[in-house]
Amino acid sequence: MITLFHGINTPIFIPKPNKYFSSNQITITLADSLVAEKVETGSLAFTMSTPIKRSTFIFTEACYLIGTEVFMGLVLFLGGLLARTCGIAMGGTDLIESLPISDISQYALGNFMVTLAISGICFCASSIFNKVRFAISYGGGLNIFFFCFYPYMA
């Protein structure tokens, strides 16, 4: 899965030996475990024993997921701007014309929209299934299917 997603989104290094994940893998894991993991471990039953409605709980989890995606999109955008600025400061004046800020903005926005769509599919699977393994299988599997077979659908 690492080689499948590498190059689609910004790779993220997790400080463990030989672990290299992309933002899509983190998104799939996070979105699939938001609801299904709490149902599987029983902590959702404890939360539901308080005067909190299910719709409020799901809305809160969805807001957390969207906030995480916005943060990752901003990190990508600011990292792109920083890399461009450092490249120009080191003498790469051709970056002013060959890599305008509008291109970095469009890439970051496109990345954010794709990641948001992936997280929406996975969050839906997490809300439907009560086991994390089913949520990851169907939510992540559907996204991987789209990535693998998209060239053949066009």
Side-chain angles (χ1 to χ4, degrees), residues 123-142:
F123 186 75
C124 182
S126 178
S127 299
I128 291 171
F129 297 105
N130 60 356
K131 300 275 188 198
V132 177
R133 61 185 170 155
F134 294 139
I136 288 177
S137 297
Y138 288 96
L142 189 60

Side-chain angles (χ1 to χ4, degrees), residues 2-54:
I2 291 173
T3 57
L4 176 67
F5 288 126
H6 181 68
I8 294 174
N9 283 38
T10 305
I12 296 174
F13 177 73
I14 306 295
K16 289 183 180 177
N18 300 323
K19 297 292 180 181
Y20 189 65
F21 295 103
S22 75
S23 59
N24 282 339
Q25 291 165 320
I26 293 171
T27 296
I28 289 172
T29 306
L30 173 67
D32 281 329
S33 65
L34 278 178
V35 178
E37 186 176 299
K38 290 175 178 55
V39 170
E40 190 174 4
T41 60
S43 64
L44 185 61
F46 176 72
T47 304
M48 291 294 117
S49 67
T50 62
I52 295 175
K53 295 189 290 187
R54 291 174 194 215

Side-chain angles (χ1 to χ4, degrees), residues 85-96:
T85 304
C86 289
I88 292 171
M90 291 182 182
T93 55
D94 59 331
L95 288 176
I96 296 171

Side-chain angles (χ1 to χ4, degrees), residues 77-90 95 99 104:
F77 176 68
L78 294 175
L81 286 180
L82 181 67
R84 178 182 183 269
T85 304
C86 289
I88 292 171
M90 291 182 182
L95 288 176
L99 187 59
I104 296 172

Side-chain angles (χ1 to χ4, degrees), residues 76-77 80-81 84 99-109:
L76 173 67
F77 176 68
L81 286 180
R84 178 182 183 269
L99 187 59
I101 295 176
S102 63
D103 286 354
I104 296 172
S105 303
Q106 288 174 356
Y107 175 73
L109 181 64

